[in-house]
Amino acid sequence: MNKTILFTFFLIHNFLSAQFSERSLSSEKWQFKNSKETQWLSAKVPGTVHQDLMDNKLIPDPFKDENEKKVQWVENENWDYQTRFKISSHELKNQNIDLVFEGLDTFSEIYLNGKLLQKTDNMFRKWSIPVKNYLKPGDNILKISFRSAVEEGKKLAQKVPFTMPESPRSFVRKAQYQFGWDWGPRLVTAGIWKEVKLDFWNDAKIKSIKDLQNVSGEPKDNFSFEVDIEVQTPGNYALKINNSQKIFSLGKGENKIRFPYQIDGLKIWQPNGWGDANLYDFKINLLKGGKEIHAKSLRTGFRTIELVQEKDEKGKSFYFKVNNQPLYIKGTNWIPGDSFSPRITKEKYQKLIKDCKEANINMIRVWGGGIYEDDEFYKACDENGILVWQDFMFAGSFYPSDEDFLNNVKEEVKDQVTRLQNHPSIALWCGNNEVDEAIVNWGYQKQFKYSKEDSLQVWKDYRKVFHELIPNTLKEKLASDKNMYWPSSPSIGWGHMESLTEGDSHYWGVWWGEQPFEVYNEKVGRFMSEYGFQGMPSLETTKTMFSGTPQLDLNNGTIKAHEKHARGWEIINTYMERDYPVPADFIKYNYISQLLQARGMQIAIEAHRRAKPYNMGTLYWQLNDCWPVVSWSSIDYSGNWKALHYQVKRSFEQQVILAEEKDNKLNLFAVNDLIQDLNDVSATIEVTTFKGEIIKRIHSGNRNLKDIISFDPIEIEKILGRFSRNEVFLNVVLNDKSNKEVAQNTYFLVKPKDLKLSKPAVHIKKISSSEIEISTDVLTKNIYLMGDTHFSDNFFDLLPKKPRRIKLSKPLDKIEVMSLWDVINP
């Protein structure tokens, strides 16, 4: 009898002193229903109400056909979610049990066994609720009632005495793009969009870990960790980081522990193109009485980042210094990878980031109208050396600043910064996307007939949120070396001269202003953080817009519905007529629209890079899509590279040689983005006919890179001789001192539509199941390889008698080929 009592005592003692444990509730059997109805239907968590309605065949897929219109009623309804789960008597013996929601979208009431525990009003916050006193042995019922974000937003909007633009979305702390954008559908959803779990813990737990790096240059203790520990039972505890351990006396409540850590032979985390993204793994263990009671893992890298803004004779610089070296930023803008965020898989995050690395991208700006991305996104950026410009989630509207809103935003910022701060990829925290510009440039005050007092209030609200609340919260939560804050992107609107002499710039004179692509050569700022042009998605992705047999016709309602810009088709046609023939055939139109987009962005990127170091960054709009759509993306919703992404890869090479024609003269620019200098190089211009005859070769002689940049301009007409501009191209080559080719580029003297091309004889030779060699007898402009595989290069110019090898992601029996000649000579 005594042995039984003793055994029971040890069993309970060991359970109570056991390691912190988690139990997922996401995998329980969930149900949902319209709050007006009684019938419960099956649901998935994490998920959204739209996904659950689709799974239960109550709404059609809004990505297909013109179905988006048919599902708009969903946003106006209230929805209930519920699950039953069992709790054992042993689980109830834990000192503390917390119910944790990683994300609820957005207005909800949380009930446990009929007891209202919490009301929520922010999609971006983590909700942790002590529930030990509300649980019972056996069955427990968890219910979350979601209220319509649209209806709740309207109620909040009524409290403001003037009309706010984009109302009611600006009153709702949820992903702003759900309300519709000029590249995305309106799908204002609701639901348990992240994991749900129960945390069981005893005595103490680790709340958070802050990685503090010693950037002073001294070798001792290159890492230091601030560990935040919540203590239930005061006493002596051991904190162990990898193989290093220290004892601390901890009091009840919150304790902050500083723990220095030394790594010998430390390898620095380098951005893509400069070296390896070296990372280190740390396991942080909390022990009591020699037993582990909680553990967390952390993976980080050692690097320094500084945003440098210094006045100069032309304005003020804006560039990033990484590991004490100026880094030219080559990057893109990121939007959520799906209109229904829970559908974005780890594999999709990893693929998109690896596609960025392959395209020589070193920074991604996470745009402020989407979501703070999943941990997997930042993990992938860490691993691939991709820096992150992180917007807070505010975009293109006015935002209130009442006490409730400010408190809500403060908690949101604290949650997200605590979660993301240790990622070496994070380079900058930015307050918002285009809110400053919306106030100054978009004419909302006039449109909504604001009084002087109303306009003044808008600025007061703006400053409270973006110049006071957010930066002050960052100071509380971040180490000084990680607290780089920029209030708004852009800092100055694109219609103002100062937008090109200081800060970051969103230049939309092309597309929105309908200026020709060539204006990019003139409109170059210190850091170009947005600019872009639309192109169609791949044919494969276009076909997914249809639920039945695809009707590939520009006048088809489905095709039109998947262009969200009101004048999108009209603008594309206007630009296409300037530079290319406009095909009647859908497949050729799709091809030309992609070439058009790539050409525009090539002109922009090359103009930015030629201006280095005046310009020190270029982020094109945009990398990806949230559904199948005609958009600014370089990779479509299905993950296919458009012509733009292939061009980005070429234009973002670490070493490039660029040509600029100005006042009938040709200037050469050699650009080197590597850390090491490039000296004793030579540039060669080969004036070549489309049949491959070199009619003139101009050699610079050996020089250092800076001399190449100032290579004497060449008068165009003198070097052409008897040939016309539309009959030749310039093959521009940069060689090092051993005569090895460092960079190569082609330059054409007329627009694509005016080229006098010859019919090519393109030959494809199979090297292996995953590699081909392609060759041609004459210049073949913009070779388009078609087939269900990913080609290592595509939409490229193939020079006569210079075969090129292309790798395939999977074998293909037949490869179809199209080129610009096929469109110019139908």
Side-chain angles (χ1 to χ4, degrees):
M1 184 68 176
N2 289 338
K3 288 183 179 179
T4 303
I5 294 171
L6 187 63
F7 175 78
T8 303
F9 169 78
F10 278 118
L11 183 68
I12 295 171
H13 175 76
N14 287 337
F15 186 86
L16 291 179
S17 61
Q19 183 179 356
F20 173 103
S21 63
E22 294 180 353
R23 176 179 160 189
S24 172
L25 294 182
S26 302
S27 56
E28 298 289 339
K29 185 177 180 180
W30 284 88
Q31 297 176 306
F32 85 111
K33 68 177 181 67
N34 190 313
S35 296
K36 297 175 183 175
E37 299 172 358
T38 57
Q39 183 182 1
W40 289 94
L41 303 164
S42 62
K44 292 178 182 176
V45 171
T48 67
V49 68
H50 283 82
Q51 291 172 265
D52 292 328
L53 288 166
M54 278 189 278
D55 289 344
N56 283 275
K57 303 190 184 309
L58 294 175
I59 61 170
D61 185 342
F63 286 15
K64 304 284 188 182
D65 306 321
E66 298 180 62
N67 291 340
E68 179 194 354
K69 302 172 186 174
K70 299 177 181 178
V71 303
Q72 292 306 303
W73 61 272
V74 176
E75 69 179 38
N76 299 311
E77 301 297 315
N78 299 327
W79 302 94
D80 296 333
Y81 278 75
Q82 181 174 286
T83 190
R84 291 176 182 268
F85 62 95
K86 291 186 181 294
I87 287 288
S88 69
S89 56
H90 287 305
E91 287 175 313
L92 284 172
K93 288 185 172 69
N94 282 277
Q95 291 176 355
N96 303 278
I97 307 175
D98 296 333
L99 174 62
V100 181
F101 291 90
E102 298 289 347
L104 292 169
D105 185 8
T106 291
F107 294 94
S108 78
E109 295 173 347
I110 302 168
Y111 296 89
L112 180 58
N113 296 325
K115 173 71 175 179
L116 175 62
L117 300 182
Q118 178 85 53
K119 292 184 178 181
T120 77
D121 55 358
N122 192 322
M123 175 181 178
F124 306 123
R125 286 176 61 181
K126 178 179 179 178
W127 306 93
S128 183
I129 310 161
V131 293
K132 178 178 170 68
N133 294 333
Y134 305 109
L135 291 167
K136 59 184 182 181
D139 284 343
N140 291 262
I141 299 176
L142 177 61
K143 179 181 176 183
I144 301 94
S145 294
F146 291 96
R147 302 190 305 281
S148 163
V150 172
E151 297 303 319
E152 292 299 313
K154 288 177 181 177
K155 293 175 188 175
L156 292 169
Q158 290 173 0
K159 297 179 180 180
V160 177
F162 50 87
T163 302
M164 296 273 267
E166 302 293 337
S167 184
R169 76 166 168 86
S170 53
F171 292 91
V172 179
R173 292 312 299 143
K174 75 185 268 110
Q176 304 284 273
Y177 81 111
Q178 291 184 6
F179 292 83
W181 226 265
D182 53 11
W183 39 256
R186 183 181 175 101
L187 294 167
V188 187
T189 194
I192 307 169
W193 76 291
K194 288 193 171 186
E195 295 291 339
V196 190
K197 61 183 179 179
L198 288 172
D199 285 350
F200 302 92
W201 61 282
N202 302 284
D203 296 330
K205 68 174 180 178
I206 300 169
K207 287 186 67 178
S208 66
I209 305 160
K210 183 185 293 186
D211 160 28
L212 306 170
Q213 299 185 1
N214 177 11
V215 296
S216 66
E218 298 174 6
K220 187 180 180 183
D221 301 334
N222 37 36
F223 281 99
S224 184
F225 299 96
E226 183 180 279
V227 185
D228 190 355
I229 301 172
E230 185 175 343
V231 176
Q232 175 86 13
T233 308
N236 289 332
Y237 290 81
L239 192 63
K240 183 179 179 183
I241 298 182
N242 289 355
N243 296 319
S244 181
Q245 181 172 313
K246 295 180 185 296
I247 305 295
F248 298 93
S249 177
L250 303 181
K252 186 168 184 176
E254 188 171 328
N255 296 254
K256 291 186 184 295
I257 302 301
R258 190 74 169 263
F259 197 119
Y261 194 92
Q262 170 70 25
I263 293 179
D264 296 327
L266 180 72
K267 294 181 179 179
I268 293 174
W269 184 93
Q270 293 281 24
N272 185 29
W274 273 12
D276 295 330
N278 295 296
L279 297 169
Y280 290 90
D281 293 302
F282 299 94
K283 186 175 182 183
I284 295 89
N285 297 82
L286 182 64
L287 301 95
K288 184 172 175 59
K291 293 183 178 180
E292 179 185 287
I293 60 172
H294 196 191
K296 281 183 176 287
S297 296
L298 172 66
R299 198 177 201 207
T300 190
F302 189 95
R303 88 289 180 270
T304 65
I305 299 178
E306 181 185 358
L307 175 61
V308 180
Q309 297 186 81
E310 297 174 339
K311 289 185 178 180
D312 55 33
E313 68 280 3
K314 296 179 180 178
K316 186 188 288 187
S317 68
F318 190 105
Y319 68 92
F320 290 89
K321 189 181 281 189
V322 180
N323 299 327
N324 299 315
Q325 296 279 350
L327 174 69
Y328 188 87
I329 296 297
K330 295 173 289 195
T332 186
N333 286 262
W334 172 284
I335 67 167
D338 202 295
S339 286
F340 306 123
S341 298
R343 290 206 299 208
I344 310 174
T345 63
K346 291 183 177 181
E347 291 75 18
K348 185 167 187 174
Y349 278 120
Q350 287 286 347
K351 181 185 181 301
L352 282 168
I353 300 305
K354 285 176 181 174
D355 287 345
C356 287
K357 182 177 182 178
E358 189 176 340
N360 302 301
I361 285 168
N362 60 22
M363 178 178 276
I364 290 173
R365 172 175 172 247
V366 178
W367 170 74
I371 60 173
Y372 305 95
E373 292 294 340
D374 185 83
D375 291 345
E376 191 69 23
F377 168 85
Y378 302 95
K379 175 177 177 286
C381 289
D382 292 345
E383 294 168 346
N384 289 282
I386 309 294
L387 294 166
V388 176
W389 170 315
Q390 178 66 56
D391 280 4
F392 288 99
M393 293 300 119
F394 302 86
S397 184
F398 303 170
Y399 289 87
S401 69
D402 58 89
E403 187 176 358
D404 287 343
F405 188 84
L406 292 177
N407 289 338
N408 200 0
V409 170
K410 183 178 179 69
E411 294 305 313
E412 170 188 326
V413 172
K414 286 165 62 177
D415 281 355
Q416 295 300 334
V417 168
T418 298
R419 179 173 72 96
L420 302 177
Q421 63 182 330
N422 297 320
H423 288 281
S425 55
I426 297 285
L428 185 71
W429 305 93
C430 180
N432 66 76
N433 169 77
E434 296 185 346
V435 175
D436 185 298
E437 175 148 321
I439 295 172
V440 175
N441 285 343
W442 292 357
Y444 284 132
Q445 293 91 329
K446 184 178 180 180
Q447 178 184 343
F448 295 118
K449 299 178 180 178
Y450 281 16
S451 66
K452 185 177 180 179
E453 290 74 20
D454 295 339
S455 297
L456 185 62
Q457 185 61 49
V458 168
W459 269 115
K460 286 181 179 178
D461 292 342
Y462 175 81
R463 292 199 62 82
K464 278 185 182 179
V465 176
F466 303 110
H467 287 266
E468 296 173 22
L469 177 78
I470 293 179
N472 290 341
T473 306
L474 292 179
K475 286 177 184 177
E476 293 175 19
K477 301 301 292 184
L478 289 172
S480 59
D481 64 295
K482 293 188 178 180
N483 185 12
M484 283 161 289
Y485 178 69
W486 188 238
S488 184
S489 181
S491 48
I492 303 168
W494 62 266
H496 300 269
M497 182 181 68
E498 294 82 5
S499 70
L500 300 179
T501 62
E502 60 184 86
D504 71 314
S505 176
H506 293 192
Y507 182 71
W508 286 104
V510 172
W511 184 267
W512 284 99
E514 298 187 43
Q515 294 293 310
F517 290 143
E518 288 72 20
V519 79
Y520 281 132
N521 293 317
E522 305 165 19
K523 303 295 185 179
V524 178
R526 310 310 293 262
F527 192 101
M528 306 302 291
S529 49
E530 264 195 39
Y531 58 92
F533 194 86
Q534 284 195 351
M536 294 188 73
S538 67
L539 289 171
E540 292 80 8
T541 297
T542 302
K543 291 173 184 176
T544 68
M545 298 174 182
F546 297 85
S547 57
T549 304
Q551 302 297 314
L552 300 182
D553 185 329
L554 290 172
N555 294 314
N556 181 272
T558 293
I559 298 292
K560 288 183 175 181
H562 287 74
E563 161 63 271
K564 300 304 291 184
H565 190 282
R567 295 184 56 244
W569 291 114
E570 180 184 343
I571 295 173
I572 290 171
N573 282 331
T574 297
Y575 278 85
M576 195 179 290
E577 287 170 356
R578 294 173 184 170
D579 289 359
Y580 289 91
V582 182
D585 176 78
F586 184 89
I587 293 175
K588 290 180 179 179
Y589 188 96
N590 177 285
Y591 163 66
I592 293 296
S593 83
Q594 292 196 46
L595 294 185
L596 179 70
Q597 181 189 28
R599 171 177 161 79
M601 296 303 93
Q602 179 184 7
I603 291 171
I605 291 169
E606 292 189 358
H608 301 159
R609 295 194 71 184
R610 290 198 306 267
K612 179 185 176 182
Y614 178 84
N615 170 276
M616 283 298 288
T618 178
L619 306 175
Y620 70 90
W621 182 269
Q622 68 207 55
L623 175 71
N624 56 326
D625 285 325
C626 65
W627 74 317
V629 65
V630 181
S631 84
W632 292 266
S633 72
S634 63
I635 300 177
D636 68 26
Y637 176 69
S638 302
N640 299 302
W641 287 25
K642 294 158 69 170
L644 172 55
H645 205 75
Y646 286 102
Q647 183 57 53
V648 165
K649 180 180 179 181
R650 294 188 282 268
S651 293
F652 278 173
E653 288 284 357
Q654 288 290 79
Q655 296 164 325
V656 291
I657 184 162
L658 308 173
E660 178 197 29
E661 187 178 355
K662 196 170 186 179
D663 301 326
N664 198 37
K665 293 185 178 181
L666 192 75
N667 300 283
L668 287 192
F669 297 78
V671 182
N672 175 38
D673 288 338
L674 294 174
I675 297 176
Q676 59 269 32
D677 292 332
L678 184 64
N679 294 317
D680 203 14
V681 296
S682 62
T684 303
I685 301 174
E686 296 176 342
V687 186
T688 309
T689 69
F690 292 163
K691 292 183 179 180
E693 178 189 354
I694 299 175
I695 60 174
K696 192 155 189 172
R697 182 180 282 113
I698 302 166
H699 190 68
S700 71
N702 285 13
R703 307 181 182 194
N704 65 41
L705 193 62
K706 291 179 181 177
D707 291 335
I708 293 290
I709 292 175
S710 59
F711 187 51
D712 292 338
I714 302 166
E715 294 183 30
I716 300 290
E717 303 306 330
K718 288 182 180 179
I719 65 173
L720 290 182
R722 60 187 173 84
F723 290 92
S724 300
R725 283 173 166 261
N726 63 356
E727 296 177 298
V728 300
F729 67 96
L730 308 182
N731 185 34
V732 188
V733 182
L734 186 70
N735 293 96
D736 63 16
K737 60 184 178 182
S738 65
N739 208 34
K740 179 183 176 183
E741 185 176 296
V742 174
Q744 181 273 337
N745 205 349
T746 53
Y747 184 80
F748 294 86
L749 299 167
V750 297
K751 291 185 175 183
K753 70 177 181 180
D754 297 321
L755 293 171
K756 194 175 180 181
L757 299 173
S758 300
K759 183 176 182 179
V762 178
H763 178 67
I764 295 178
K765 177 183 175 182
K766 183 177 179 181
I767 304 299
S768 70
S769 61
S770 61
E771 188 174 18
I772 60 171
E773 182 180 87
I774 183 166
S775 58
T776 180
D777 58 336
V778 297
L779 171 79
T780 308
K781 189 92 176 81
N782 302 125
I783 285 232
Y784 177 26
L785 302 172
M786 291 180 280
D788 183 21
T789 190
H790 173 73
F791 297 98
S792 61
D793 200 2
N794 212 342
F795 301 95
F796 54 85
D797 296 339
L798 186 61
L799 307 190
K801 301 177 181 62
K802 290 190 177 180
R804 182 178 299 197
R805 290 200 173 185
I806 306 294
K807 292 184 178 180
L808 285 63
S809 62
K810 62 181 180 180
L812 202 62
D813 292 331
K814 183 181 179 183
I815 299 174
E816 295 184 57
V817 180
M818 184 184 292
S819 73
L820 187 59
W821 186 89
D822 297 301
V823 179
I824 293 177
N825 303 275

